[in-house]
Amino acid sequence: NAGVTQTPKFQVLKTGQSMTLQCAQDMNHNSMYWYRQDPGMGLRLIYYSASEGTTDKGEVPNGYNVSRLNKREFSLRLESAAPSQTSVYFCASSSLAPATDTQYFGPGTRLTVL
Amino acid sequence: TQLLEQSPQFLSIQEGENLTVYCNSSSVFSSLQWYRQEPGEGPVLLVTVVTGGEVKKLKRLTFQFGDARKDSSLHITAAQPGDTGLYLCAGAETSGTYKYIFGTGTRLKVLA
C-alpha cells in the first residue's frame, strides 16, 4: 500500500497562474483533508471531505477550491495563485472523524508563488 | 480562531536527557492529539487523549491531558537522536468534528 500520495512534490508558479494539487489514498478511507503549513503557524485546515460527495470549508478556504473526484481522490485547485499561498500543502485521510481514528498524511507539496 | 500555543518553540538537548513539551489553550478541547513530523514528510500521529487527566505512555514518551482539557504535555525520558523532529499538538473543540486546530510546534534536536 502506498498510503497517501501527492503530486507534484514541488511547484513554482507566477502570480495569477492556476494549478491543481492532486491527492490519492489507497486505504479505502471515507474522509480526506487539505492542510497548509507555514513557518511558525503549524498546520491549518483548508478544506475537508467527510465522505465521498461532500466537501466543507476549513479554517483558511479563501483562494482555494476542492473536488472529491471519487473515494480515492481529493484535489485542491488554486485559480489565481498569490504569493501569500506560498506554503507546504499536505493531504490527509482517515476512515472516521480524526478524534476516533488516525489521520494519515501524505509527503507534502512545496509550492512557491513568485 | 482558537489558538494552541506550544512551548518551547525550539529545544536542543543531549542524548539521555529528559524533556517536557507543553501545549496550552484558553479553550476546552474534547480531544487532543500529538504528532511528530520529520523533515520532508507529513506528520505522524503519536497519541490521542480524550479524558481530562488522562495519561498515556508510548515507550519513553508520556502524554498527559489536563484535568480541565485545556492543556497537554509530552514528556520524553532519556531522549535519543531518533526523537529529533517537530512535535505538534492538535485539538478538537467538539467530538466528532473534522476540524482539528494545530499548535505552532516544538522543534526538538537530540545531540548524540
Side-chain angles (χ1 to χ4, degrees):
Chain A
N1 287 348
V4 179
T5 57
Q6 293 183 233
T7 56
K9 290 189 176 181
F10 301 92
Q11 184 71 49
V12 179
L13 294 177
K14 294 181 179 178
T15 298
Q17 288 185 317
S18 62
M19 79 160 295
T20 300
L21 281 64
Q22 306 287 351
C23 174
Q25 51 91 10
D26 62 1
M27 296 173 282
N28 200 35
H29 283 167
N30 295 312
S31 308
M32 299 185 73
Y33 316 80
W34 276 106
Y35 292 89
R36 60 178 289 174
Q37 185 174 32
D38 302 294
M41 298 192 72
L43 278 85
R44 292 181 292 170
L45 183 64
I46 305 171
Y47 271 94
Y48 67 97
S49 172
S51 60
E52 186 179 358
T54 69
T55 60
D56 286 285
K57 295 179 180 179
E59 186 182 351
V60 288
N62 291 346
Y64 305 95
N65 287 302
V66 291
S67 295
R68 183 73 183 268
L69 304 171
N70 47 55
K71 193 171 186 178
R72 289 186 64 248
E73 299 172 289
F74 189 38
S75 63
L76 178 71
R77 183 161 178 82
L78 287 70
E79 290 291 351
S80 179
S84 61
Q85 294 178 305
T86 292
S87 188
V88 181
Y89 292 85
F90 288 98
C91 177
S93 71
S94 65
S95 183
L96 302 170
T100 54
D101 192 27
T102 300
Q103 214 173 158
Y104 294 90
F105 284 81
T109 294
R110 281 146 188 82
L111 175 66
T112 301
V113 183
L114 303 175
Chain B
T1 302
Q2 304 301 331
L3 294 176
L4 269 173
E5 296 186 359
Q6 288 187 237
S7 60
Q9 280 188 293
F10 301 95
L11 192 55
S12 181
I13 61 172
Q14 294 293 323
E15 181 177 5
E17 293 184 355
N18 301 332
L19 67 116
T20 302
V21 176
Y22 299 94
C23 176
N24 295 292
S25 176
S26 57
S27 300
V28 175
F29 291 99
S30 67
S31 63
L32 196 136
Q33 298 181 326
W34 284 93
Y35 292 81
R36 181 169 66 208
Q37 183 179 18
E38 300 191 15
E41 299 180 8
V44 175
L45 180 66
L46 297 173
V47 75
T48 299
V49 287
V50 297
T51 304
E54 182 176 3
V55 177
K56 281 192 174 179
K57 292 191 176 183
L58 185 65
K59 297 183 180 178
R60 294 177 293 99
L61 279 61
T62 301
F63 306 87
Q64 184 162 9
F65 200 12
D67 291 341
R69 305 208 313 275
K70 293 182 177 182
D71 56 88
S72 180
S73 63
L74 158 60
H75 182 79
I76 300 179
T77 303
Q80 299 177 359
D83 296 326
T84 293
L86 178 67
Y87 288 83
L88 296 161
C89 63
E93 291 185 316
T94 57
S95 61
T97 184
Y98 291 84
K99 297 182 182 181
Y100 261 76
I101 300 166
F102 278 78
T104 51
T106 293
R107 193 166 297 280
L108 171 66
K109 187 170 185 177
V110 182
L111 304 170

